[in-house]
């Protein structure tokens, strides 16, 4: 029996529908003439919790950190136990298994970890389903591969999952205990290998805005007349740093110098010389089809959609068989997929009275853009429409907008390049340099599709400046100075992140890396996090109230808890340098370089160093009375089973406790549990005040320790 294991029920049902009849449905499986299809529910196995390795680890104690498993354990998720039993029974009956996880690292691990957990030794083949339409699945069925070819993907995903456990479990405990020692009662700091540097991006951006001081700078634009034709053109003064005071960004900030230059240019007019004239024909290919991140960023900027909303919508379009696999980090397409172009374009051309229809009818299905590149393809390709016709009227507004973005990017691959003349001119006048640039369109090509609605180009302002039409000139020709105008501008603070731009920052993390060597290395790496997790990371930071999203655009600002967390951690955790390098190593592992063991050894050392740093971390206090025993902790009022009492926030390292006296700690003596006194009578008077020795000198009673344990750690 051949057994197909899909990642989720929807994929399983679509796969079964493409296998020969007869079909027989069961509880968690479908039997077909071509084998049995079953499915998982995402991760049916989870990483074991610390207390599942050792029950004592349920209590959070600094002395137990870091927690470094000798052998990693997986546990069956309770919610998936029934389906897991179905899969287990079918594997035992199978002669051959076909791995049908999603075509990415996570999808590879999802099924592989089940096979490894059950000790499978039967042959395993791999099917890569990039879309759920019948044609795509039939093509995938005809191209089964050996699952061993994808071992590097599995190793990379496994290393990622275990690294996230090591960093998250250990540092969350270490720094939660640290902030509690500082008096931040009940505060929990979730720390993640990707989540924390992402939060730090927002915190640092907000501080840049808070500390920003606007500055005025000056621009001087001159008008020259080309002598041979009498045509006028504008050119901007490029002041020399040797003769004119400029700021570090090369801007003229001295008004007196600007006014002096303006006056001098108008006196004793001289002939101006064309010292450079360059005109080149240039071609710009269409933008590549979408990866998930690119789709999320553009949909966020154009429509204000949040990244998770875009992912959920793309997932629905995929399950409706209208678009290909959404969790893709690729922006390229396999060459053999080009044969589907006539069918896809034909379906889109049938959309009467729509821009998509008009653009598709003008497309050339034989054309092959740079997007068709097998060398850029791993397990999956860019998000594109499938061969299934779409009824736009049946889609919601959000679904329609996302589909149209995906379809437009696909159609653009079959339109000609944008062709234009790029002109650059330099003029010398009064010993000073003036420059101008212009762009003259020759053929709009694919750009006709991107001239509707709001501009989507980040360089739109720059393009406007370069759109001037300049007369044909030659180097050495003369020009006359006509006039000049002085303009002022103000520097602007950096803009706050939105979910879309923060996701873009995660993907383009090299822009925020301090180390120049790492920055250069990481330019071509897809950032921190994965296509599937970036949106959920941002959403979780908002849900946990580390980020506040305000307004229609969901502008992000950090909360007090965010400042506290980022300030408590060393730079190695909050700057993306280390995380970005780790992502690069994971990426390399997916290409066959490196092992999980070597990678995790580095992660363990990192966790060990930061757990040690947490013991002496400088954290802003949460208020309260300083502990007289250790001098580091804060005395916090507690409600115990014997009444109110005060305990040191540095517990269990410091075990100082005190009686409550009118809402304040009473340091005149050791607290006596109520159980040791008469049940209904007053508590005995306290003995003389002790002399407090250094940290650790006080030992609470068994009852007191139990109360503190319950309050800090719970059971």
């Amino acid at each position: 029996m051949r057994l197909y294991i899909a990642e989720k029920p929807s994929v399983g049902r679509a796969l079964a529908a493409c296998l020969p009849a007869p079909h027989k449905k069961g509880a968690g499986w479908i039997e077909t003439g071509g084998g049995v299809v079953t499915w998982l529910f995402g991760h049916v196995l989870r990483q074991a919790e610390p207390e599942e390795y050792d029950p004592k680890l349920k209590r959070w104690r600094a002395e137990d950190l870091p927690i470094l498993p000798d052998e990693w354990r997986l546990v069956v998720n309770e919610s998936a136990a029934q389906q897991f039993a179905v899969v287990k029974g079918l594997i035992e009956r199978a002669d051959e298994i076909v791995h049908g996880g999603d075509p990415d690292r996570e999808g590879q691990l999802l099924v592989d970890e089940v096979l490894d957990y059950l000790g499978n030794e039967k042959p395993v083949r791999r099917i890569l389903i990039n879309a759920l339409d019948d044609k795509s699945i039939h093509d995938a069925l005809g191209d089964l591969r050996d699952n061993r070819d994808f071992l590097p993907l599995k190793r990379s995903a496994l290393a990622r999952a275990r690294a996230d456990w090591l960093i998250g479990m250990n540092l969350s405990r270490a720094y939660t205990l640290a902030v509690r020692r500082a008096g931040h009662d009940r505060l929990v700091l979730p720390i993640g290998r990707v989540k924390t540097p992402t939060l730090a991006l927002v915190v640092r951006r907000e501080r840049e805005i808070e500390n920003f001081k606007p500055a005025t700078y000056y621009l001087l634009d001159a008008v020259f007349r080309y002598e041979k034709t009498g045509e006028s053109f504008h050119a901007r003064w490029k002041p020399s740093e040797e003769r004119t005071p400029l700021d570090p960004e090369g801007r003229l900030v001295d008004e007196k110098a600007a006014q002096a230059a303006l006056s001098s240019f108008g006196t004793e007019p001289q002939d101006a010389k064309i010292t450079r004239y360059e005109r080149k024909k240039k071609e710009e290919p269409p933008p590549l089809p979408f990866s998930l991140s690119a789709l999320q960023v553009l949909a966020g900027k154009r429509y204000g959609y949040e990244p998770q909303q875009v992912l959920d919508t793309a997932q629905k379009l995929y399950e409706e068989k209208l678009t290909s696999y959404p969790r893709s980090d690729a922006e390229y397409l396999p060459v053999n997929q080009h044969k589907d172009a006539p069918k896809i374009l034909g379906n889109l051309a049938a959309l009467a009275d729509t821009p998509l229809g008009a653009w598709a009818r003008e497309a050339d299905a034989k054309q092959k853009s740079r997007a068709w590149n097998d060398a850029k393809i791993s397990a999956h390709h860019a998000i594109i429409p499938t061969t299934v016709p779409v009824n736009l009227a049946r889609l919601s507004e959000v679904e329609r907008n996302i589909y149209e973005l995906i379809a437009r990017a696909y159609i653009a691959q079959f339109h000609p390049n944008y062709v234009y003349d790029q002109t650059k001119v330099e003029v010398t006048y009064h010993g000073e340099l003036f420059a101008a640039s212009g762009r003259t369109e020759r053929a709009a090509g694919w750009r006709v599709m991107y001239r509707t609605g709001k501009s989507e180009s980040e360089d739109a302002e720059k393009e406007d400046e370069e759109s001037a039409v300049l007369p044909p000139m030659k180097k050495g020709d003369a020009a006359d100075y006509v006039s000049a105008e002085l303009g002022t501008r103000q520097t602007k603070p950096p803009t706050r992140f939105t979910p879309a731009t923060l996701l873009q920052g995660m993907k383009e993390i090299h822009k925020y890396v301090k180390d120049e060597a790492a920055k250069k290395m990481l330019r071509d790496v897809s950032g921190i996090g994965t296509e599937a997790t970036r949106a959920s990371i941002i959403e979780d930071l908002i849900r946990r109230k580390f980020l506040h999203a305000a307004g229609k655009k969901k502008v992000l600002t950090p909360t007090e808890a965010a400042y506290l967390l980022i300030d408590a951690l060393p730079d190695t955790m909050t700057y993306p340098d280390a995380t970005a390098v780790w992502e690069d190593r994971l990426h390399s592992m997916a290409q066959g370089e490196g092992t999980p063991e070597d990678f995790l050894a580095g992660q363990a050392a990192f966790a060990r160093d930061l757990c040690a740093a947490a013991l002496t971390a400088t954290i802003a206090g949460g208020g309260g009375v300083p502990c007289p025993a250790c001098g580091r902790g804060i005395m916090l009022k507690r409600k115990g089973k014997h009444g109110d009492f005060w305990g040191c926030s540095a517990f269990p390292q410091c075990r100082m406790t005190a009686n409550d006296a009118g809402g304040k700690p009473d340091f005149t003596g050791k607290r006596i549990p109520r159980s040791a006194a008469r049940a209904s009578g007053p508590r005995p008077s306290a003995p003389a005040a002790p002399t407090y020795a250094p940290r650790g000198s006080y030992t609470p009673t068994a009852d007191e320790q139990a109360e503190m344990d319950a309050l800090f750690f719970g059971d």
Side-chain angles (χ1 to χ4, degrees), residues 47 72 106 109 156-166 193:
Q47 294 280 351
W72 290 89
E106 196 70 14
L109 180 61
S156 177
L158 187 64
R160 178 189 296 276
R162 290 176 176 177
D164 288 344
W165 192 99
L166 285 174
R193 187 180 57 83

Side-chain angles (χ1 to χ4, degrees), residues 104-153:
D104 56 17
R105 283 183 286 188
E106 196 70 14
Q108 188 65 39
L109 180 61
L110 276 167
V111 179
D112 276 346
E113 67 185 1
V114 172
L115 297 175
D116 292 344
Y117 185 86
L118 296 174
N120 175 67
E121 296 183 352
K122 297 172 182 179
V124 183
R125 304 182 78 185
R126 184 69 158 98
I127 183 172
L128 299 174
I129 301 175
N130 276 292
L132 297 184
D133 61 293
D134 290 357
K135 186 181 186 306
S136 295
I137 293 177
H138 281 297
D139 288 347
L141 286 167
D143 189 28
L144 296 182
R145 298 171 62 181
D146 191 322
N147 192 51
R148 290 174 293 186
D149 294 346
F150 300 90
L151 182 59
L153 278 182

Side-chain angles (χ1 to χ4, degrees), residues 542-613:
I542 296 171
R543 182 180 61 82
R544 290 179 177 268
K545 295 184 170 43
F546 286 93
L547 292 178
H548 176 67
K552 185 177 180 180
K553 294 184 177 180
K554 306 294 183 183
V555 175
L556 299 175
T557 53
T559 63
E560 289 301 318
Y563 287 109
L564 183 71
L565 172 58
I566 299 306
D567 291 344
L569 291 165
D571 285 356
T572 50
M573 192 66 212
T574 62
Y575 277 94
D577 298 52
T579 303
V581 171
W582 297 338
E583 293 288 349
D584 181 59
R585 289 187 62 187
L586 289 169
H587 179 78
S588 297
M589 200 181 301
Q591 307 302 313
E593 301 175 17
T595 66
E597 291 75 19
D598 289 342
F599 181 77
L600 292 172
Q603 297 293 290
F606 183 83
R608 191 178 291 108
D609 290 344
L610 263 70
C611 285

Side-chain angles (χ1 to χ4, degrees), residues 296-354:
Q296 288 170 314
V297 170
L298 180 55
K301 291 179 177 179
R302 180 164 183 155
Y303 299 112
Y305 298 158
E306 295 186 42
Q308 189 64 47
Q309 183 183 17
V310 178
L311 173 56
D312 293 343
T313 303
Q315 179 70 28
K316 187 172 182 181
L317 292 171
Y318 167 67
E319 293 179 357
E320 293 292 330
K321 306 182 181 182
L322 296 174
T323 58
S324 61
Y325 181 65
R327 292 174 172 82
S328 174
D329 62 357
E331 296 180 335
Y332 292 87
L333 299 167
V335 174
N336 66 5
Q337 205 272 350
H338 190 271
K339 65 181 183 294
D340 296 334
K343 177 67 172 175
I344 297 173
L345 291 173
N347 289 339
L348 294 170
L351 298 172
D353 302 322
T354 68

Side-chain angles (χ1 to χ4, degrees), residues 329-653:
D329 62 357
E331 296 180 335
Y332 292 87
L333 299 167
V335 174
N336 66 5
Q337 205 272 350
H338 190 271
K339 65 181 183 294
D340 296 334
K343 177 67 172 175
I344 297 173
L345 291 173
N347 289 339
L348 294 170
L351 298 172
D353 302 322
T354 68
L356 287 181
W359 297 330
R361 289 189 290 273
E362 295 171 359
D364 179 3
K366 296 179 181 179
Q367 183 171 306
K368 204 173 270 186
S369 72
R370 60 179 176 146
W372 309 96
N373 189 336
D374 287 340
K376 301 283 189 178
I377 303 296
S378 55
H380 44 72
H381 56 68
I383 309 169
I384 61 172
T386 66
T387 56
V388 175
V390 64
N391 184 345
L392 294 176
R394 295 183 61 184
L395 302 180
S396 70
E397 181 182 2
V398 178
E399 291 166 354
R400 186 167 59 254
N401 287 338
I402 297 300
Y403 182 87
E404 288 176 349
L405 289 178
I406 294 169
R408 182 181 65 168
Y410 182 80
I411 298 171
Q413 308 311 311
F414 305 94
H415 278 243
N417 289 347
Y418 168 57
V419 185
Y420 62 96
D421 288 332
Q422 180 70 59
T423 308
K424 293 184 178 180
V425 176
E426 290 183 357
V427 181
T428 300
Y429 175 69
H430 262 271
E432 298 288 342
L433 182 66
F434 295 77
S437 60
R439 177 181 295 194
T440 306
E441 183 177 288
R442 287 194 175 194
W446 59 267
R447 281 215 165 196
V448 298
M449 303 171 54
Y450 289 80
R451 288 175 174 169
T452 57
K454 183 180 178 182
S455 174
E456 294 156 11
S457 172
E458 293 184 358
D459 298 323
E461 184 177 342
K462 182 181 177 182
E463 289 179 5
D464 288 342
E465 292 178 356
E466 295 179 347
S467 64
V469 178
L470 299 171
M473 293 179 269
K474 291 182 180 179
K475 182 179 178 180
D477 285 350
D480 296 323
Y481 173 83
V482 178
S483 62
E485 183 179 3
L486 188 64
T488 62
R489 291 188 184 175
Q490 269 205 334
T491 57
K492 297 179 181 179
T495 57
R496 291 185 170 91
F497 287 108
T498 65
T501 58
L502 182 56
L503 186 143
Q504 185 176 26
M506 296 172 74
K507 188 171 177 70
E508 300 175 349
I509 200 62
H510 64 274
K511 295 180 179 179
Y512 304 94
V513 168
K514 293 195 299 181
D515 183 81
E516 288 300 320
K519 184 189 292 283
K520 185 178 179 180
M521 178 182 65
L522 294 166
R523 288 185 188 276
D524 297 326
V525 178
S526 54
I528 59 175
T530 67
E531 299 293 321
T533 61
R534 290 182 186 124
S536 61
I537 286 170
I538 296 170
E539 193 171 67
D540 189 60
L541 288 170
I542 296 171
R543 182 180 61 82
R544 290 179 177 268
K545 295 184 170 43
F546 286 93
L547 292 178
H548 176 67
K552 185 177 180 180
K553 294 184 177 180
K554 306 294 183 183
V555 175
L556 299 175
T557 53
T559 63
E560 289 301 318
Y563 287 109
L564 183 71
L565 172 58
I566 299 306
D567 291 344
L569 291 165
D571 285 356
T572 50
M573 192 66 212
T574 62
Y575 277 94
D577 298 52
T579 303
V581 171
W582 297 338
E583 293 288 349
D584 181 59
R585 289 187 62 187
L586 289 169
H587 179 78
S588 297
M589 200 181 301
Q591 307 302 313
E593 301 175 17
T595 66
E597 291 75 19
D598 289 342
F599 181 77
L600 292 172
Q603 297 293 290
F606 183 83
R608 191 178 291 108
D609 290 344
L610 263 70
C611 285
L615 295 173
T616 56
T618 302
I619 299 170
V625 180
C627 175
C630 69
R632 288 175 47 210
I634 301 295
M635 298 300 293
L636 301 174
K637 189 177 180 180
R638 304 293 189 184
K639 288 187 178 295
K641 61 183 178 180
H642 303 298
D644 292 346
F645 74 102
W646 293 74
C648 180
S649 63
F651 177 87
Q653 285 76 28

Side-chain angles (χ1 to χ4, degrees), residues 219-234:
L219 301 172
L220 197 155
D221 291 311
V223 179
F224 294 95
R225 183 182 297 110
Y226 182 49
E227 282 193 351
K228 287 187 176 180
T229 64
E231 294 177 83
S232 297
F233 62 95
H234 290 76

